[in-house]
């Protein structure tokens, strides 16, 4: 397994320097963005024996619960296996989305009607924007919002409203002239889409390569959990729960659903920070990062 991971690291470094074909720098949909030097950095799929988790090292969790949620709970949950063409498909990101939706509804009491799950061809840039906009019109002060994405990441120089020299994006899809093609939601676009929300209690979870760049979404009341650093990869495979992203498996399935992250304190409830600490302690060959603007620990 170690040799396999080392070979994957070498492949991932090569992927960072290759621009795949059929990438649209300018995608149709809300807030069209011009971008140059666009590179998709593909999540890496592994196959191997079942991984062993179980340990945790508290770093983000304070052990003190912050303000509890007072109102409704909403979520946008995205997973894309089936990308345009065949060379960029993934295998377990839809399973990640299903797992996240399941945890939100069964463990944390989200109403199924308030969870917008978008997968594969339904996960277009327009559909994602509209799901966020729909929640924005419904949410009130004291409500909670979760945004989850599992798929590919990208980088480039995008005219997305911020001043970054290099921007990061999540890779989605969009219908362009009747054909489903690659599209990108840049970090600056997400900042704009979530600006002016009636509630500041928002949790972001990104299981994608380069996701550390999404730390720009940090603001008071928000927690941004990212499966990798701004320059590194994210893994998926059969080793994690029979088929999941490594980060999502430890964060959502073992950490939250199985409550293995419940250690600081051990009180039969798992905060976002506890789940992140558990995932970070167990992930191999990738380094999860967090940007936490919530006062103390956030219990969804």
């Amino acid at each position: 397994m170690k040799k396999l991971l080392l070979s994957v690291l070498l492949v991932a470094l090569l992927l960072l320097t290759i621009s795949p074909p059929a990438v649209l720098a300018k995608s149709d949909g809300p807030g069209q963005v011009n971008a140059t030097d666009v590179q998709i950095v593909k999540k890496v799929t592994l196959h191997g024996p079942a991984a062993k988790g179980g340990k945790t090292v508290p770093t983000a969790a304070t052990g003190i619960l912050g303000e509890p949620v007072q109102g409704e709970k909403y979520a946008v949950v995205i997973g894309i296996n089936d990308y345009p063409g065949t060379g960029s498909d993934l295998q377990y990101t839809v399973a990640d989305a299903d797992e996240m939706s399941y945890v939100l509804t069964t463990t944390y009491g989200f109403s199924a009607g308030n969870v917008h799950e978008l997968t594969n061809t339904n996960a277009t840039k327009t559909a994602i924007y509209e799901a966020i906009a729909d929640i924005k019109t419904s949410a009130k002060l004291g409500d909670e919002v979760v945004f989850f994405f599992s798929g590919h990441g990208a980088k480039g120089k995008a005219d997305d409203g911020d001043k970054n020299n290099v921007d990061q994006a999540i890779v989605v899809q969009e219908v362009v002239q009747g054909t489903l093609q690659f599209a990108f939601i840049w970090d600056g676009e997400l900042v704009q889409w979530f600006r002016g929300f009636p509630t500041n209690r928002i949790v972001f979870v990104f299981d994608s390569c380069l996701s550390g760049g999404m730390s720009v979404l940090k603001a008071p009341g928000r927690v941004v959990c990212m499966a990798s650093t701004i320059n590194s990869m994210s893994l998926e495979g059969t080793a994690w729960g029979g088929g999941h992203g490594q980060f999502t498996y430890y964060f959502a399935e073992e950490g939250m659903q199985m409550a293995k992250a419940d250690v600081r304190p051990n009180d039969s409830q798992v905060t976002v920070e506890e789940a992140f600490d558990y995932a970070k302690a167990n992930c191999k060959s990738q380094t999860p990062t967090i940007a936490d603007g919530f006062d103390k620990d956030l219990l969804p």
Side-chain angles (χ1 to χ4, degrees):
M1 187 68 172
K2 289 183 178 179
K3 291 182 179 179
L4 180 58
L5 289 176
L6 287 173
S7 64
V8 167
L9 284 169
L10 293 174
V11 171
L13 290 173
L14 290 174
L15 286 172
L16 286 171
T17 64
I18 298 173
S19 293
V23 173
L24 296 181
K26 183 176 182 180
S27 60
D28 286 354
Q32 295 186 54
V33 170
N34 290 318
T36 60
D37 301 328
V38 179
Q39 297 178 338
I40 292 178
V41 181
K42 301 177 183 179
K43 180 181 278 191
V44 179
T45 302
L46 300 176
H47 299 283
K52 296 180 180 180
K55 64 180 180 180
T56 189
V57 180
T59 55
T62 66
I64 305 171
L65 286 179
E67 186 71 23
V69 60
Q70 300 292 335
E72 290 288 337
K73 301 177 181 181
Y74 302 92
V76 178
V77 179
I78 305 155
I80 305 177
N81 286 339
D82 186 13
Y83 279 96
T86 57
S88 298
D89 287 351
L90 291 166
Q91 296 185 40
Y92 306 114
T93 56
V94 172
D96 288 348
D98 289 344
E99 176 64 26
M100 195 70 218
S101 294
Y102 179 79
V103 168
L104 292 176
T105 54
T106 62
T107 302
Y108 295 108
F110 281 61
S111 169
N114 287 346
V115 177
H116 301 249
E117 183 171 334
L118 300 169
T119 60
N120 290 333
T121 57
N122 292 321
T124 64
K125 184 173 183 178
T126 296
I128 294 166
Y129 173 82
E130 290 176 348
I132 295 170
D134 180 64
I135 292 174
K136 193 172 185 178
T137 60
S138 302
K140 299 178 178 61
L141 185 66
D143 290 349
E144 180 174 284
V145 178
V146 172
F147 181 88
F148 173 89
F149 172 80
S150 183
H152 291 312
K155 65 178 181 178
K157 299 177 181 178
D159 184 16
D160 61 352
D162 62 27
K163 298 181 180 179
N164 295 340
N165 292 325
V166 178
D167 296 281
Q168 283 71 41
I170 55 176
V171 183
V172 295
Q173 310 184 64
E174 191 59 271
V175 177
V176 180
Q177 298 179 347
T179 304
L180 200 63
Q181 300 190 26
F182 286 99
F184 307 91
I185 303 178
W186 296 96
D187 48 7
E189 288 185 283
L190 284 172
V191 169
Q192 295 175 37
W193 294 1
F194 280 93
R195 182 174 291 146
F197 248 74
T199 180
N200 62 352
R201 187 187 181 99
I202 304 176
V203 179
F204 298 93
V205 183
F206 298 96
D207 193 341
S208 55
C209 298
L210 313 184
S211 55
M214 293 300 171
S215 60
V216 296
L217 289 160
K218 179 183 176 181
R222 298 181 178 183
V223 184
V224 189
C225 298
M226 300 154 282
S228 63
T229 67
I230 196 171
N231 293 313
S232 62
M233 65 180 181
S234 181
L235 305 176
E236 66 165 17
T238 54
W240 301 290
H244 279 292
Q246 178 177 210
F247 179 79
T248 298
Y249 176 68
Y250 289 127
F251 180 84
E253 184 163 324
E254 282 202 0
M256 291 177 162
Q257 182 188 337
M258 298 180 185
K260 291 186 177 182
D262 180 25
V263 296
R264 190 175 188 185
N266 188 343
D267 57 358
S268 300
Q269 52 190 1
V270 179
T271 65
V272 170
E273 289 84 358
E274 283 180 306
F276 173 82
D277 285 344
Y278 182 82
K280 183 177 182 179
N282 287 283
C283 280
K284 306 297 183 185
S285 301
Q286 68 184 82
T287 305
T289 57
I290 189 170
D292 195 345
F294 189 78
D295 185 22
K296 304 181 179 66
D297 295 347
L298 190 151
L299 182 67

